[in-house]
Short mmCIF file of all heavy atoms in Angstrom, two decimals:
data_model
loop_
_atom_site.label_atom_id
_atom_site.label_comp_id
_atom_site.label_asym_id
_atom_site.label_seq_id
_atom_site.Cartn_x
_atom_site.Cartn_y
_atom_site.Cartn_z
N GLY A 8 -34.97 12.49 40.31
CA GLY A 8 -34.00 11.65 41.06
C GLY A 8 -33.39 10.58 40.19
O GLY A 8 -32.25 10.26 40.27
N VAL A 9 -34.27 9.96 39.25
CA VAL A 9 -33.86 8.88 38.33
C VAL A 9 -32.97 9.44 37.28
O VAL A 9 -32.01 8.86 36.96
CB VAL A 9 -35.08 8.10 37.93
CG1 VAL A 9 -34.56 7.11 36.90
CG2 VAL A 9 -35.74 7.45 39.03
N ARG A 47 -13.47 3.00 45.71
CA ARG A 47 -12.66 4.23 45.78
C ARG A 47 -11.16 3.97 45.43
O ARG A 47 -10.55 4.63 44.76
CB ARG A 47 -12.84 4.94 47.04
CG ARG A 47 -14.18 5.64 47.24
CD ARG A 47 -14.22 6.79 48.17
NE ARG A 47 -13.66 6.54 49.40
CZ ARG A 47 -12.72 7.30 50.03
NH1 ARG A 47 -12.29 8.37 49.39
NH2 ARG A 47 -12.31 7.05 51.21
N VAL A 62 -20.39 3.69 42.67
CA VAL A 62 -21.31 2.85 43.46
C VAL A 62 -22.50 3.75 43.70
O VAL A 62 -22.42 4.87 44.05
CB VAL A 62 -20.77 2.48 44.79
CG1 VAL A 62 -21.77 1.56 45.52
CG2 VAL A 62 -19.41 1.72 44.62
N GLU A 64 -25.53 3.47 46.05
CA GLU A 64 -26.07 2.63 47.10
C GLU A 64 -27.47 3.02 47.50
O GLU A 64 -27.79 4.19 47.64
CB GLU A 64 -25.16 2.62 48.24
CG GLU A 64 -25.65 1.82 49.46
CD GLU A 64 -25.12 2.03 50.82
OE1 GLU A 64 -23.95 2.33 50.83
OE2 GLU A 64 -25.85 2.07 51.79
N ASP A 66 -30.39 2.12 50.46
CA ASP A 66 -30.83 1.39 51.70
C ASP A 66 -32.24 0.89 51.63
O ASP A 66 -33.04 1.78 51.43
CB ASP A 66 -30.52 2.33 52.83
CG ASP A 66 -31.09 1.72 54.15
OD1 ASP A 66 -31.02 0.50 54.37
OD2 ASP A 66 -31.60 2.58 54.93
N ASN A 70 -36.67 -4.29 53.69
CA ASN A 70 -38.12 -4.27 53.32
C ASN A 70 -38.17 -4.71 51.83
O ASN A 70 -37.51 -4.09 51.06
CB ASN A 70 -38.62 -2.91 53.60
CG ASN A 70 -40.07 -2.63 53.21
OD1 ASN A 70 -40.38 -3.13 52.08
ND2 ASN A 70 -40.76 -1.98 53.98
N PRO A 72 -40.61 -4.58 49.33
CA PRO A 72 -41.01 -3.62 48.23
C PRO A 72 -39.91 -2.61 48.08
O PRO A 72 -39.74 -2.20 46.85
CB PRO A 72 -42.28 -3.06 48.85
CG PRO A 72 -42.84 -4.28 49.68
CD PRO A 72 -41.69 -4.86 50.37
N GLU A 76 -38.05 -1.59 44.70
CA GLU A 76 -37.98 -0.21 44.18
C GLU A 76 -36.62 0.16 43.90
O GLU A 76 -36.21 0.74 42.82
CB GLU A 76 -38.57 0.74 45.22
CG GLU A 76 -38.61 2.16 44.78
CD GLU A 76 -37.36 2.92 45.06
OE1 GLU A 76 -36.63 2.59 46.03
OE2 GLU A 76 -37.14 4.00 44.47
N GLU A 79 -35.60 -1.22 40.61
CA GLU A 79 -36.08 -0.45 39.43
C GLU A 79 -35.28 0.87 39.30
O GLU A 79 -35.07 1.23 38.16
CB GLU A 79 -37.55 -0.08 39.74
CG GLU A 79 -38.50 -1.21 39.82
CD GLU A 79 -38.82 -1.89 38.48
OE1 GLU A 79 -38.45 -1.31 37.36
OE2 GLU A 79 -39.37 -2.97 38.37
N ARG A 80 -34.71 1.45 40.42
CA ARG A 80 -34.08 2.65 40.27
C ARG A 80 -32.73 2.38 39.66
O ARG A 80 -32.13 3.11 38.84
CB ARG A 80 -33.84 3.34 41.64
CG ARG A 80 -34.00 4.81 41.57
CD ARG A 80 -33.69 5.54 42.88
NE ARG A 80 -34.37 5.12 44.00
CZ ARG A 80 -34.11 5.49 45.28
NH1 ARG A 80 -33.05 6.36 45.41
NH2 ARG A 80 -34.79 5.11 46.31
N LYS A 82 -32.05 -0.05 37.63
CA LYS A 82 -32.27 -0.33 36.17
C LYS A 82 -32.42 1.10 35.38
O LYS A 82 -31.83 1.17 34.29
CB LYS A 82 -33.55 -1.17 36.03
CG LYS A 82 -33.68 -1.95 34.79
CD LYS A 82 -34.74 -2.94 34.76
CE LYS A 82 -36.12 -2.24 34.55
NZ LYS A 82 -37.33 -3.25 34.59
N PRO A 102 -36.27 -13.65 39.32
CA PRO A 102 -36.80 -13.68 38.08
C PRO A 102 -36.57 -12.40 37.23
O PRO A 102 -36.40 -12.46 35.98
CB PRO A 102 -38.31 -13.83 38.29
CG PRO A 102 -38.32 -14.33 39.80
CD PRO A 102 -37.15 -13.77 40.40
N ASP A 166 -33.43 -21.85 63.75
CA ASP A 166 -34.45 -22.61 63.05
C ASP A 166 -35.24 -21.66 61.99
O ASP A 166 -36.23 -21.22 62.27
CB ASP A 166 -35.53 -23.16 63.96
CG ASP A 166 -36.46 -24.23 63.35
OD1 ASP A 166 -36.10 -24.54 62.23
OD2 ASP A 166 -37.46 -24.56 63.93
N PRO A 168 -35.17 -21.04 57.34
CA PRO A 168 -34.88 -21.74 56.13
C PRO A 168 -33.40 -21.80 56.00
O PRO A 168 -32.83 -22.85 55.53
CB PRO A 168 -35.48 -21.00 55.01
CG PRO A 168 -36.69 -20.46 55.65
CD PRO A 168 -36.33 -20.06 57.11
N ARG A 171 -31.84 -24.45 58.09
CA ARG A 171 -32.18 -25.77 57.83
C ARG A 171 -31.54 -26.23 56.47
O ARG A 171 -31.35 -27.34 56.19
CB ARG A 171 -33.70 -25.96 57.65
CG ARG A 171 -34.34 -26.13 58.91
CD ARG A 171 -35.75 -26.66 58.76
NE ARG A 171 -36.53 -25.72 58.00
CZ ARG A 171 -37.04 -24.51 58.43
NH1 ARG A 171 -36.96 -24.31 59.74
NH2 ARG A 171 -37.64 -23.73 57.75
N TYR B 47 -39.59 2.90 35.55
CA TYR B 47 -39.33 3.03 36.99
C TYR B 47 -40.58 3.49 37.72
O TYR B 47 -41.07 2.92 38.75
CB TYR B 47 -38.18 4.01 37.26
CG TYR B 47 -38.05 4.40 38.69
CD1 TYR B 47 -37.56 3.35 39.62
CD2 TYR B 47 -38.47 5.60 39.22
CE1 TYR B 47 -37.49 3.71 40.92
CE2 TYR B 47 -38.39 5.87 40.48
CZ TYR B 47 -37.82 5.02 41.46
OH TYR B 47 -37.75 5.27 42.71
N LEU B 54 -46.08 -1.22 43.22
CA LEU B 54 -45.84 -1.44 44.51
C LEU B 54 -46.96 -0.76 45.43
O LEU B 54 -47.50 -1.29 46.32
CB LEU B 54 -44.56 -1.08 45.01
CG LEU B 54 -43.37 -1.98 44.42
CD1 LEU B 54 -41.95 -1.46 44.70
CD2 LEU B 54 -43.54 -3.41 44.86
N ASN B 147 -42.90 -22.69 57.25
CA ASN B 147 -41.59 -23.20 57.32
C ASN B 147 -41.42 -24.68 57.56
O ASN B 147 -40.45 -25.36 57.16
CB ASN B 147 -40.89 -22.53 58.43
CG ASN B 147 -40.07 -21.23 57.96
OD1 ASN B 147 -39.33 -21.40 57.03
ND2 ASN B 147 -40.35 -20.15 58.55
N HIS B 148 -42.41 -25.28 58.30
CA HIS B 148 -42.23 -26.61 58.77
C HIS B 148 -43.12 -27.64 58.25
O HIS B 148 -42.90 -28.80 58.29
CB HIS B 148 -42.24 -26.60 60.25
CG HIS B 148 -41.07 -25.93 60.92
ND1 HIS B 148 -41.06 -24.66 61.09
CD2 HIS B 148 -39.94 -26.44 61.45
CE1 HIS B 148 -39.95 -24.29 61.73
NE2 HIS B 148 -39.20 -25.47 61.93
N ALA B 156 -35.55 -25.68 51.26
CA ALA B 156 -35.15 -25.14 52.47
C ALA B 156 -35.33 -23.54 52.44
O ALA B 156 -35.49 -23.00 53.55
CB ALA B 156 -33.70 -25.47 52.77
N ASN B 175 -43.57 -3.92 33.50
CA ASN B 175 -44.25 -3.14 34.58
C ASN B 175 -45.59 -2.58 34.09
O ASN B 175 -46.48 -2.50 34.85
CB ASN B 175 -43.37 -2.07 35.05
CG ASN B 175 -42.33 -2.60 35.97
OD1 ASN B 175 -42.39 -3.71 36.46
ND2 ASN B 175 -41.31 -1.72 36.19
N TYR B 253 -41.80 -16.54 52.10
CA TYR B 253 -42.56 -16.08 53.37
C TYR B 253 -41.80 -14.87 53.96
O TYR B 253 -42.44 -14.17 54.82
CB TYR B 253 -42.58 -17.19 54.43
CG TYR B 253 -41.32 -17.29 55.23
CD1 TYR B 253 -41.34 -16.81 56.60
CD2 TYR B 253 -40.21 -17.93 54.72
CE1 TYR B 253 -40.30 -16.88 57.29
CE2 TYR B 253 -39.11 -17.90 55.44
CZ TYR B 253 -39.12 -17.49 56.82
OH TYR B 253 -37.97 -17.50 57.57
N GLN B 263 -46.51 -2.58 59.67
CA GLN B 263 -46.32 -1.41 58.66
C GLN B 263 -47.73 -1.21 58.11
O GLN B 263 -48.20 -0.07 57.87
CB GLN B 263 -45.40 -1.84 57.57
CG GLN B 263 -44.79 -0.75 56.95
CD GLN B 263 -43.66 -1.13 55.98
OE1 GLN B 263 -43.72 -2.24 55.50
NE2 GLN B 263 -42.89 -0.12 55.76
N ILE B 291 -38.84 6.48 50.02
CA ILE B 291 -38.34 6.58 48.73
C ILE B 291 -38.06 7.95 48.33
O ILE B 291 -36.91 8.28 47.88
CB ILE B 291 -39.28 5.79 47.67
CG1 ILE B 291 -39.50 4.37 48.07
CG2 ILE B 291 -38.74 5.91 46.34
CD1 ILE B 291 -40.49 3.63 47.18
N ASP B 294 -35.37 9.46 50.31
CA ASP B 294 -34.05 8.87 49.95
C ASP B 294 -33.60 9.59 48.62
O ASP B 294 -32.41 10.03 48.54
CB ASP B 294 -34.21 7.40 49.72
CG ASP B 294 -32.92 6.77 49.50
OD1 ASP B 294 -32.08 6.79 50.41
OD2 ASP B 294 -32.67 6.24 48.42
N ARG B 298 -30.39 12.17 48.61
CA ARG B 298 -29.34 11.83 47.70
C ARG B 298 -28.94 12.88 46.77
O ARG B 298 -27.75 13.22 46.52
CB ARG B 298 -29.77 10.50 46.90
CG ARG B 298 -28.76 9.69 46.41
CD ARG B 298 -29.45 8.32 46.06
NE ARG B 298 -29.58 7.60 47.23
CZ ARG B 298 -28.46 6.96 47.78
NH1 ARG B 298 -27.36 6.97 47.27
NH2 ARG B 298 -28.69 6.27 48.97
N GLU B 306 -19.24 12.68 48.91
CA GLU B 306 -19.02 11.45 48.12
C GLU B 306 -20.08 10.44 48.37
O GLU B 306 -20.61 10.40 49.41
CB GLU B 306 -17.60 10.98 48.50
CG GLU B 306 -16.54 11.60 47.70
CD GLU B 306 -15.23 10.81 47.88
OE1 GLU B 306 -15.11 9.70 47.30
OE2 GLU B 306 -14.19 11.32 48.60
N GLU B 307 -20.18 9.58 47.35
CA GLU B 307 -21.23 8.51 47.43
C GLU B 307 -21.10 7.70 48.70
O GLU B 307 -22.22 7.53 49.31
CB GLU B 307 -21.09 7.59 46.20
CG GLU B 307 -22.08 6.39 46.24
CD GLU B 307 -23.48 6.91 46.01
OE1 GLU B 307 -23.78 7.91 45.40
OE2 GLU B 307 -24.39 6.12 46.42
N ALA B 311 -24.25 7.71 51.47
CA ALA B 311 -24.99 6.44 51.82
C ALA B 311 -25.08 6.31 53.41
O ALA B 311 -26.06 5.94 53.89
CB ALA B 311 -24.28 5.24 51.25
N THR B 315 -29.20 7.60 55.25
CA THR B 315 -30.12 6.62 55.89
C THR B 315 -30.62 7.21 57.29
O THR B 315 -31.84 7.10 57.59
CB THR B 315 -29.35 5.38 56.15
OG1 THR B 315 -29.04 4.79 54.86
CG2 THR B 315 -30.18 4.40 56.90
#
Side-chain angles (χ1 to χ4, degrees):
Chain A
V9 171
R47 285 207 308 133
V62 183
E64 183 193 316
D66 167 39
N70 174 317
E76 184 271 336
E79 297 285 350
R80 219 190 304 170
K82 200 171 79 179
D166 195 11
R171 280 191 303 277
Chain B
Y47 169 73
L54 294 171
N147 266 309
H148 290 84
N175 282 346
Y253 87 100
Q263 208 174 20
I291 299 173
D294 189 61
R298 203 161 280 281
E306 272 193 72
E307 176 68 26
T315 296

